[in-house]
Amino acid sequence: MKRLPPLPALHTFLITAQCCNFTRAAEQLHITQGAVSRQIAGLEDHLGYELFIRQARGLDLTAEGREWLPRVQQIFGLIGEAVEQIGAKRETLQLKAPTCVMRWLLPRLMQWQKERPDVPVELTTTVRHGVDFHREQFDAAVIYGVPPETSLASHRLFDEQLTPVCSKPYLEGPVPLQAPEDLEQHMLLHPTRDERDWKAWLASADVHLNNVSKGQHFETLDLAMSMASQGTGVAIGDWSLIGDDLSAGRLVMPFELKVKTGLGYYLVLPQKPAPSPKLQELLGWLVEQAQAR
């Protein structure tokens, strides 16, 4: 395979072909006229044929030069598109978060995009609660669990606080729901298969129920909250995540007791490299939103 011509010489050919004048090409390229002439001569020597007809009044393209021009324009057009598209993708902040935090996070990211459309965020959701920045190409992540390891830079958002919730019409329905013991007569909605959230809250309330395992089980907190808002039963939810639902009246708390589990939600990012100013701004804004609950 014949060695490809050097890219700088092709760029010089493109500019020269567009203006058909060594002097004007030199001005656009910010080099001397002699440098332009030498690059064109070197390119012609490399190809084995002339690209320009030199005349006293200027330059004309040869037949080969006319064939080369649209191809070189296409080459540099593709390079320009790549620079723009890949650069734009790199400027988009890549954020990962577990599905359990979506009820809180998604409305705030939508608000962020309205306020800062110049700093786009691409969100990837997952059922996993952690992140591995060595294997996953994210700028930052929200994780759920215990305080993260010291190898990560972290910002605490809020602690998990469990409490029962239901719709207002359900609470005002014919079956009493005035004390935790009344939950025996209601459908319990579980956001997980292992029932751990309801069991933790009931233990803290010092209440034993026989219907815990008879409730409906869901794969995510969001599904359990949606069913509760539709009047299906009483769900156990994280008060830290459902503030918007409570404020809007989609859900109500039949009891005041909120149980901290020792787990929480954290914004994390690698210690190195240092975060960009745009990423720092986004993280700071999310922390402010969490503190303003």
Side-chain angles (χ1 to χ4, degrees):
M1 180 178 177
K2 187 173 182 179
R3 184 170 58 88
L4 295 175
L7 194 62
L10 287 176
H11 185 241
T12 298
F13 163 76
L14 175 62
I15 299 301
T16 307
Q18 289 173 341
C19 60
C20 281
N21 186 285
F22 283 151
T23 301
R24 287 199 293 272
E27 291 172 354
Q28 293 187 41
L29 293 167
H30 303 288
I31 57 178
T32 66
Q33 179 180 340
V36 172
S37 180
R38 286 192 295 273
Q39 287 195 36
I40 295 299
L43 179 59
E44 291 174 328
D45 183 64
H46 178 93
L47 296 173
Y49 45 80
E50 292 186 344
L51 299 170
F52 293 97
I53 301 171
R54 279 83 168 168
Q55 303 179 52
R57 58 180 177 82
L59 301 172
D60 282 326
L61 286 167
T62 64
E64 292 82 0
R66 287 193 297 271
E67 289 189 39
W68 263 102
L69 180 56
R71 290 171 168 82
V72 175
Q73 288 173 327
Q74 183 180 21
I75 290 169
F76 280 93
L78 290 172
I79 292 173
E81 289 178 8
V83 169
E84 184 175 342
Q85 293 174 6
I86 296 173
K89 185 175 181 180
R90 287 179 58 84
E91 291 173 2
T92 299
L93 299 179
Q94 304 292 321
L95 185 64
K96 178 186 179 183
T99 54
C100 58
V101 80
M102 284 300 103
R103 284 185 97 79
W104 180 86
L105 181 60
L106 193 56
R108 281 149 186 85
L109 287 182
M110 293 174 66
Q111 180 182 345
W112 168 265
Q113 295 293 207
K114 289 181 180 179
E115 296 179 6
R116 293 299 307 274
D118 58 313
V119 187
V121 179
E122 185 174 294
L123 177 63
T124 299
T125 61
T126 174
V127 294
R128 299 174 65 88
H129 293 156
V131 64
D132 183 353
F133 288 113
H134 295 294
R135 297 183 180 181
E136 301 175 274
Q137 298 300 310
F138 296 103
D139 296 301
V142 178
I143 64 171
Y144 164 73
V146 298
E149 57 189 270
T150 55
S151 62
L152 299 176
S154 67
H155 306 271
R156 176 184 163 276
L157 291 175
F158 35 70
D159 297 323
E160 182 178 49
Q161 300 181 70
L162 300 177
T163 190
V165 291
C166 62
S167 70
K168 187 175 181 180
Y170 187 92
L171 179 63
E172 297 172 347
V175 182
L177 189 55
Q178 299 175 351
E181 290 79 6
D182 294 335
L183 290 166
E184 186 83 60
Q185 309 303 318
H186 293 269
M187 173 69 70
L188 302 186
L189 308 179
H190 299 272
T192 59
R193 292 287 176 180
D194 57 15
E195 305 171 355
R196 66 179 184 274
D197 291 346
W198 265 118
K199 290 178 179 178
W201 188 88
L202 291 169
S204 183
D206 195 23
V207 173
H208 175 75
L209 301 180
N210 294 315
N211 63 330
V212 173
S213 297
K214 298 177 183 178
Q216 292 188 6
H217 299 73
F218 300 93
E219 296 296 334
T220 66
L221 173 71
D222 190 61
L223 285 174
M225 294 301 103
S226 295
M227 295 303 294
S229 66
Q230 296 174 31
T232 303
V234 185
I236 188 75
D238 185 345
W239 178 84
S240 302
L241 300 180
I242 59 176
D244 293 345
D245 296 284
L246 295 171
S247 299
R250 291 185 293 270
L251 294 171
V252 295
M253 294 170 50
F255 315 111
E256 291 296 323
L257 177 63
K258 296 191 289 288
V259 176
K260 288 189 175 183
T261 64
L263 306 178
Y265 297 86
Y266 300 85
L267 269 173
V268 297
L269 63 158
Q271 292 280 10
K272 294 181 180 181
S276 67
K278 290 182 178 180
L279 179 59
Q280 287 181 319
E281 184 180 358
L282 171 63
L283 299 185
W285 186 84
L286 287 173
V287 171
E288 289 178 1
Q289 292 292 307
Q291 294 174 348
R293 291 176 301 116

Short mmCIF file of all heavy atoms in Angstrom, two decimals, residues 46-91:
data_model
loop_
_atom_site.label_atom_id
_atom_site.label_comp_id
_atom_site.label_asym_id
_atom_site.label_seq_id
_atom_site.Cartn_x
_atom_site.Cartn_y
_atom_site.Cartn_z
N HIS A 46 4.99 13.63 -4.03
CA HIS A 46 4.53 12.40 -3.38
C HIS A 46 3.52 11.66 -4.25
O HIS A 46 3.57 10.42 -4.37
CB HIS A 46 3.88 12.76 -2.03
CG HIS A 46 3.31 11.58 -1.30
ND1 HIS A 46 4.03 10.88 -0.35
CD2 HIS A 46 2.10 10.97 -1.37
CE1 HIS A 46 3.29 9.89 0.13
NE2 HIS A 46 2.11 9.93 -0.48
N LEU A 47 2.62 12.41 -4.88
CA LEU A 47 1.57 11.79 -5.70
C LEU A 47 2.08 11.37 -7.08
O LEU A 47 1.54 10.45 -7.69
CB LEU A 47 0.39 12.75 -5.85
CG LEU A 47 -0.35 13.12 -4.55
CD1 LEU A 47 -1.38 14.21 -4.81
CD2 LEU A 47 -1.04 11.88 -3.96
N GLY A 48 3.07 12.10 -7.59
CA GLY A 48 3.62 11.77 -8.90
C GLY A 48 2.98 12.52 -10.04
O GLY A 48 3.19 12.15 -11.20
N TYR A 49 2.21 13.55 -9.73
CA TYR A 49 1.62 14.38 -10.78
C TYR A 49 1.31 15.76 -10.19
O TYR A 49 1.22 15.93 -8.97
CB TYR A 49 0.35 13.75 -11.36
CG TYR A 49 -0.61 13.19 -10.33
CD1 TYR A 49 -1.49 14.03 -9.63
CD2 TYR A 49 -0.66 11.82 -10.06
CE1 TYR A 49 -2.35 13.53 -8.69
CE2 TYR A 49 -1.53 11.31 -9.12
CZ TYR A 49 -2.38 12.16 -8.44
OH TYR A 49 -3.24 11.66 -7.51
N GLU A 50 1.15 16.73 -11.09
CA GLU A 50 0.90 18.09 -10.65
C GLU A 50 -0.58 18.29 -10.31
O GLU A 50 -1.47 17.68 -10.91
CB GLU A 50 1.30 19.07 -11.75
CG GLU A 50 2.82 19.13 -11.98
CD GLU A 50 3.19 20.22 -12.97
OE1 GLU A 50 2.28 20.71 -13.70
OE2 GLU A 50 4.38 20.59 -13.01
N LEU A 51 -0.81 19.18 -9.36
CA LEU A 51 -2.16 19.51 -8.94
C LEU A 51 -2.58 20.90 -9.43
O LEU A 51 -3.78 21.19 -9.52
CB LEU A 51 -2.28 19.46 -7.41
CG LEU A 51 -2.00 18.08 -6.78
CD1 LEU A 51 -1.90 18.20 -5.27
CD2 LEU A 51 -3.10 17.09 -7.16
N PHE A 52 -1.58 21.75 -9.69
CA PHE A 52 -1.85 23.12 -10.13
C PHE A 52 -1.09 23.44 -11.41
O PHE A 52 0.02 22.92 -11.64
CB PHE A 52 -1.44 24.13 -9.06
CG PHE A 52 -2.27 24.07 -7.80
CD1 PHE A 52 -1.81 23.35 -6.70
CD2 PHE A 52 -3.48 24.73 -7.71
CE1 PHE A 52 -2.56 23.30 -5.54
CE2 PHE A 52 -4.24 24.68 -6.57
CZ PHE A 52 -3.78 23.96 -5.46
N ILE A 53 -1.70 24.27 -12.22
CA ILE A 53 -1.01 24.87 -13.36
C ILE A 53 -0.57 26.25 -12.94
O ILE A 53 -1.40 27.09 -12.59
CB ILE A 53 -1.94 24.95 -14.60
CG1 ILE A 53 -2.44 23.54 -14.99
CG2 ILE A 53 -1.24 25.62 -15.77
CD1 ILE A 53 -3.53 23.56 -16.04
N ARG A 54 0.75 26.48 -12.88
CA ARG A 54 1.27 27.78 -12.45
C ARG A 54 1.24 28.74 -13.65
O ARG A 54 1.83 28.44 -14.70
CB ARG A 54 2.71 27.66 -11.94
CG ARG A 54 2.83 27.17 -10.49
CD ARG A 54 2.75 25.67 -10.38
NE ARG A 54 3.16 25.17 -9.06
CZ ARG A 54 2.95 23.95 -8.65
NH1 ARG A 54 2.34 23.08 -9.43
NH2 ARG A 54 3.36 23.59 -7.44
N GLN A 55 0.61 29.86 -13.47
CA GLN A 55 0.55 30.88 -14.50
C GLN A 55 0.88 32.24 -13.87
O GLN A 55 0.80 32.41 -12.65
CB GLN A 55 -0.85 30.94 -15.14
CG GLN A 55 -1.31 29.60 -15.73
CD GLN A 55 -2.71 29.69 -16.32
OE1 GLN A 55 -2.99 30.58 -17.12
NE2 GLN A 55 -3.57 28.78 -15.91
N ALA A 56 1.24 33.18 -14.73
CA ALA A 56 1.61 34.51 -14.23
C ALA A 56 0.44 35.17 -13.50
O ALA A 56 0.63 35.90 -12.51
CB ALA A 56 2.08 35.39 -15.39
N ARG A 57 -0.79 34.91 -13.95
CA ARG A 57 -1.95 35.54 -13.33
C ARG A 57 -2.49 34.77 -12.13
O ARG A 57 -3.43 35.21 -11.47
CB ARG A 57 -3.06 35.68 -14.37
CG ARG A 57 -3.51 34.37 -14.99
CD ARG A 57 -4.62 34.57 -16.02
NE ARG A 57 -4.99 33.32 -16.66
CZ ARG A 57 -5.81 32.43 -16.14
NH1 ARG A 57 -6.34 32.65 -14.95
NH2 ARG A 57 -6.10 31.32 -16.81
N GLY A 58 -1.91 33.61 -11.84
CA GLY A 58 -2.37 32.84 -10.69
C GLY A 58 -2.28 31.36 -10.94
O GLY A 58 -1.43 30.89 -11.71
N LEU A 59 -3.17 30.62 -10.30
CA LEU A 59 -3.15 29.16 -10.37
C LEU A 59 -4.45 28.63 -10.92
O LEU A 59 -5.53 29.22 -10.72
CB LEU A 59 -2.95 28.57 -8.97
CG LEU A 59 -1.68 28.97 -8.20
CD1 LEU A 59 -1.76 28.43 -6.77
CD2 LEU A 59 -0.44 28.44 -8.89
N ASP A 60 -4.34 27.51 -11.61
CA ASP A 60 -5.51 26.73 -12.03
C ASP A 60 -5.29 25.29 -11.62
O ASP A 60 -4.14 24.81 -11.60
CB ASP A 60 -5.72 26.82 -13.55
CG ASP A 60 -6.35 28.13 -13.97
OD1 ASP A 60 -7.18 28.65 -13.20
OD2 ASP A 60 -6.00 28.63 -15.06
N LEU A 61 -6.37 24.61 -11.29
CA LEU A 61 -6.26 23.20 -10.95
C LEU A 61 -6.08 22.36 -12.21
O LEU A 61 -6.71 22.62 -13.24
CB LEU A 61 -7.52 22.74 -10.20
CG LEU A 61 -7.66 23.20 -8.75
CD1 LEU A 61 -9.08 22.93 -8.26
CD2 LEU A 61 -6.65 22.49 -7.85
N THR A 62 -5.23 21.37 -12.12
CA THR A 62 -5.14 20.38 -13.19
C THR A 62 -6.34 19.44 -13.11
O THR A 62 -7.14 19.52 -12.17
CB THR A 62 -3.84 19.56 -13.05
OG1 THR A 62 -3.91 18.82 -11.83
CG2 THR A 62 -2.61 20.46 -13.05
N ALA A 63 -6.47 18.55 -14.07
CA ALA A 63 -7.56 17.58 -14.03
C ALA A 63 -7.49 16.74 -12.75
O ALA A 63 -8.50 16.46 -12.10
CB ALA A 63 -7.51 16.68 -15.26
N GLU A 64 -6.24 16.34 -12.37
CA GLU A 64 -6.06 15.57 -11.12
C GLU A 64 -6.42 16.41 -9.90
O GLU A 64 -7.02 15.92 -8.94
CB GLU A 64 -4.63 15.07 -11.01
CG GLU A 64 -4.21 14.02 -12.03
CD GLU A 64 -3.82 14.64 -13.37
OE1 GLU A 64 -3.86 15.89 -13.49
OE2 GLU A 64 -3.45 13.88 -14.27
N GLY A 65 -6.04 17.69 -9.94
CA GLY A 65 -6.36 18.59 -8.83
C GLY A 65 -7.86 18.74 -8.66
O GLY A 65 -8.37 18.78 -7.52
N ARG A 66 -8.60 18.82 -9.79
CA ARG A 66 -10.05 18.94 -9.70
C ARG A 66 -10.68 17.67 -9.13
O ARG A 66 -11.70 17.73 -8.45
CB ARG A 66 -10.62 19.25 -11.09
CG ARG A 66 -10.33 20.68 -11.56
CD ARG A 66 -11.18 21.05 -12.78
NE ARG A 66 -10.87 20.20 -13.93
CZ ARG A 66 -9.91 20.48 -14.82
NH1 ARG A 66 -9.19 21.59 -14.69
NH2 ARG A 66 -9.70 19.68 -15.87
N GLU A 67 -10.07 16.54 -9.39
CA GLU A 67 -10.58 15.29 -8.82
C GLU A 67 -10.27 15.21 -7.33
O GLU A 67 -11.05 14.67 -6.54
CB GLU A 67 -9.97 14.09 -9.54
CG GLU A 67 -10.51 13.90 -10.96
CD GLU A 67 -10.05 12.57 -11.57
OE1 GLU A 67 -10.02 11.56 -10.83
OE2 GLU A 67 -9.72 12.55 -12.76
N TRP A 68 -9.12 15.75 -6.95
CA TRP A 68 -8.72 15.69 -5.55
C TRP A 68 -9.56 16.62 -4.68
O TRP A 68 -9.87 16.31 -3.53
CB TRP A 68 -7.24 16.09 -5.40
CG TRP A 68 -6.31 14.92 -5.33
CD1 TRP A 68 -5.52 14.42 -6.31
CD2 TRP A 68 -6.08 14.09 -4.18
NE1 TRP A 68 -4.81 13.33 -5.88
CE2 TRP A 68 -5.14 13.10 -4.56
CE3 TRP A 68 -6.55 14.06 -2.90
CZ2 TRP A 68 -4.68 12.12 -3.69
CZ3 TRP A 68 -6.11 13.08 -2.02
CH2 TRP A 68 -5.18 12.12 -2.42
N LEU A 69 -9.95 17.79 -5.19
CA LEU A 69 -10.56 18.82 -4.36
C LEU A 69 -11.80 18.34 -3.61
O LEU A 69 -11.87 18.48 -2.38
CB LEU A 69 -10.87 20.06 -5.20
CG LEU A 69 -11.53 21.22 -4.43
CD1 LEU A 69 -10.68 21.64 -3.25
CD2 LEU A 69 -11.79 22.40 -5.38
N PRO A 70 -12.83 17.77 -4.26
CA PRO A 70 -14.02 17.35 -3.48
C PRO A 70 -13.72 16.25 -2.48
O PRO A 70 -14.35 16.18 -1.42
CB PRO A 70 -14.99 16.87 -4.57
CG PRO A 70 -14.14 16.56 -5.76
CD PRO A 70 -12.98 17.51 -5.70
N ARG A 71 -12.72 15.41 -2.81
CA ARG A 71 -12.37 14.35 -1.87
C ARG A 71 -11.71 14.92 -0.62
O ARG A 71 -12.00 14.49 0.51
CB ARG A 71 -11.45 13.33 -2.55
CG ARG A 71 -12.15 12.48 -3.61
CD ARG A 71 -11.15 11.64 -4.39
NE ARG A 71 -11.79 10.63 -5.21
CZ ARG A 71 -12.31 10.84 -6.41
NH1 ARG A 71 -12.26 12.08 -6.93
NH2 ARG A 71 -12.88 9.87 -7.09
N VAL A 72 -10.81 15.87 -0.79
CA VAL A 72 -10.14 16.49 0.35
C VAL A 72 -11.14 17.31 1.16
O VAL A 72 -11.09 17.34 2.40
CB VAL A 72 -8.96 17.35 -0.12
CG1 VAL A 72 -8.33 18.09 1.06
CG2 VAL A 72 -7.91 16.48 -0.81
N GLN A 73 -12.09 17.98 0.50
CA GLN A 73 -13.13 18.71 1.22
C GLN A 73 -13.96 17.76 2.08
O GLN A 73 -14.29 18.08 3.22
CB GLN A 73 -14.04 19.44 0.22
CG GLN A 73 -13.40 20.64 -0.44
CD GLN A 73 -14.26 21.23 -1.55
OE1 GLN A 73 -14.98 20.51 -2.25
NE2 GLN A 73 -14.20 22.55 -1.71
N GLN A 74 -14.25 16.58 1.54
CA GLN A 74 -15.01 15.60 2.31
C GLN A 74 -14.21 15.10 3.51
O GLN A 74 -14.75 14.94 4.61
CB GLN A 74 -15.39 14.42 1.41
CG GLN A 74 -16.24 13.37 2.12
CD GLN A 74 -16.60 12.21 1.19
OE1 GLN A 74 -15.94 11.97 0.20
NE2 GLN A 74 -17.65 11.49 1.53
N ILE A 75 -12.91 14.86 3.30
CA ILE A 75 -12.05 14.39 4.39
C ILE A 75 -12.06 15.37 5.55
O ILE A 75 -12.29 15.00 6.72
CB ILE A 75 -10.61 14.15 3.89
CG1 ILE A 75 -10.57 12.94 2.96
CG2 ILE A 75 -9.65 13.96 5.07
CD1 ILE A 75 -9.26 12.80 2.21
N PHE A 76 -11.81 16.65 5.26
CA PHE A 76 -11.74 17.63 6.33
C PHE A 76 -13.13 17.94 6.89
O PHE A 76 -13.25 18.32 8.06
CB PHE A 76 -11.04 18.90 5.84
CG PHE A 76 -9.56 18.77 5.83
CD1 PHE A 76 -8.89 18.36 4.67
CD2 PHE A 76 -8.81 18.99 6.97
CE1 PHE A 76 -7.52 18.20 4.65
CE2 PHE A 76 -7.43 18.84 6.96
CZ PHE A 76 -6.78 18.45 5.81
N GLY A 77 -14.17 17.75 6.09
CA GLY A 77 -15.52 17.89 6.62
C GLY A 77 -15.82 16.83 7.66
O GLY A 77 -16.39 17.11 8.72
N LEU A 78 -15.39 15.58 7.38
CA LEU A 78 -15.59 14.49 8.33
C LEU A 78 -14.79 14.72 9.60
O LEU A 78 -15.26 14.44 10.71
CB LEU A 78 -15.19 13.15 7.69
CG LEU A 78 -16.12 12.65 6.58
CD1 LEU A 78 -15.50 11.42 5.90
CD2 LEU A 78 -17.50 12.31 7.14
N ILE A 79 -13.56 15.22 9.45
CA ILE A 79 -12.74 15.50 10.63
C ILE A 79 -13.41 16.59 11.48
O ILE A 79 -13.46 16.50 12.71
CB ILE A 79 -11.33 15.93 10.20
CG1 ILE A 79 -10.58 14.75 9.56
CG2 ILE A 79 -10.53 16.46 11.41
CD1 ILE A 79 -9.24 15.11 8.97
N GLY A 80 -13.92 17.62 10.82
CA GLY A 80 -14.60 18.69 11.56
C GLY A 80 -15.82 18.19 12.31
O GLY A 80 -16.06 18.57 13.46
N GLU A 81 -16.61 17.30 11.65
CA GLU A 81 -17.78 16.73 12.32
C GLU A 81 -17.37 15.90 13.52
O GLU A 81 -18.02 15.93 14.58
CB GLU A 81 -18.56 15.87 11.33
CG GLU A 81 -19.30 16.65 10.26
CD GLU A 81 -20.02 15.74 9.30
OE1 GLU A 81 -20.06 14.52 9.56
OE2 GLU A 81 -20.54 16.24 8.27
N ALA A 82 -16.29 15.13 13.38
CA ALA A 82 -15.83 14.30 14.48
C ALA A 82 -15.40 15.15 15.67
O ALA A 82 -15.72 14.85 16.82
CB ALA A 82 -14.67 13.40 14.02
N VAL A 83 -14.66 16.21 15.38
CA VAL A 83 -14.21 17.11 16.46
C VAL A 83 -15.41 17.68 17.19
O VAL A 83 -15.44 17.73 18.43
CB VAL A 83 -13.33 18.24 15.88
CG1 VAL A 83 -13.07 19.31 16.93
CG2 VAL A 83 -12.00 17.67 15.36
N GLU A 84 -16.42 18.13 16.43
CA GLU A 84 -17.59 18.75 17.05
C GLU A 84 -18.42 17.75 17.84
O GLU A 84 -18.80 18.01 18.99
CB GLU A 84 -18.45 19.39 15.96
CG GLU A 84 -19.65 20.15 16.50
CD GLU A 84 -20.40 20.87 15.41
OE1 GLU A 84 -19.84 21.08 14.33
OE2 GLU A 84 -21.56 21.23 15.66
N GLN A 85 -18.69 16.57 17.24
CA GLN A 85 -19.55 15.60 17.88
C GLN A 85 -18.89 14.96 19.10
O GLN A 85 -19.51 14.84 20.16
CB GLN A 85 -19.96 14.52 16.88
CG GLN A 85 -20.87 15.05 15.77
CD GLN A 85 -21.15 13.99 14.71
OE1 GLN A 85 -20.76 12.83 14.85
NE2 GLN A 85 -21.83 14.40 13.65
N ILE A 86 -17.63 14.56 18.96
CA ILE A 86 -16.95 13.92 20.08
C ILE A 86 -16.68 14.93 21.18
O ILE A 86 -16.80 14.65 22.37
CB ILE A 86 -15.65 13.25 19.61
CG1 ILE A 86 -15.98 12.12 18.63
CG2 ILE A 86 -14.84 12.72 20.79
CD1 ILE A 86 -14.78 11.49 17.97
N GLY A 87 -16.36 16.15 20.78
CA GLY A 87 -16.16 17.20 21.78
C GLY A 87 -17.42 17.49 22.55
O GLY A 87 -17.41 17.66 23.77
N ALA A 88 -18.57 17.52 21.84
CA ALA A 88 -19.84 17.76 22.51
C ALA A 88 -20.17 16.63 23.48
O ALA A 88 -20.69 16.85 24.57
CB ALA A 88 -20.95 17.92 21.48
N LYS A 89 -19.86 15.39 23.07
CA LYS A 89 -20.12 14.26 23.94
C LYS A 89 -19.28 14.32 25.20
O LYS A 89 -19.75 14.03 26.29
CB LYS A 89 -19.85 12.94 23.18
CG LYS A 89 -20.21 11.69 23.97
CD LYS A 89 -20.03 10.45 23.13
CE LYS A 89 -20.42 9.21 23.92
NZ LYS A 89 -20.26 7.97 23.12
N ARG A 90 -18.04 14.74 25.06
CA ARG A 90 -17.17 14.83 26.23
C ARG A 90 -17.64 15.94 27.16
O ARG A 90 -17.44 15.87 28.36
CB ARG A 90 -15.73 15.09 25.78
CG ARG A 90 -15.05 13.89 25.16
CD ARG A 90 -13.65 14.23 24.72
NE ARG A 90 -12.84 14.71 25.82
CZ ARG A 90 -12.19 13.93 26.69
NH1 ARG A 90 -12.26 12.63 26.56
NH2 ARG A 90 -11.47 14.45 27.66
N GLU A 91 -18.26 16.98 26.63
CA GLU A 91 -18.73 18.07 27.46
C GLU A 91 -20.00 17.69 28.23
O GLU A 91 -20.35 18.35 29.20
CB GLU A 91 -18.99 19.30 26.60
CG GLU A 91 -17.71 19.93 26.05
CD GLU A 91 -18.01 21.05 25.07
OE1 GLU A 91 -19.20 21.35 24.86
OE2 GLU A 91 -17.04 21.60 24.52
#
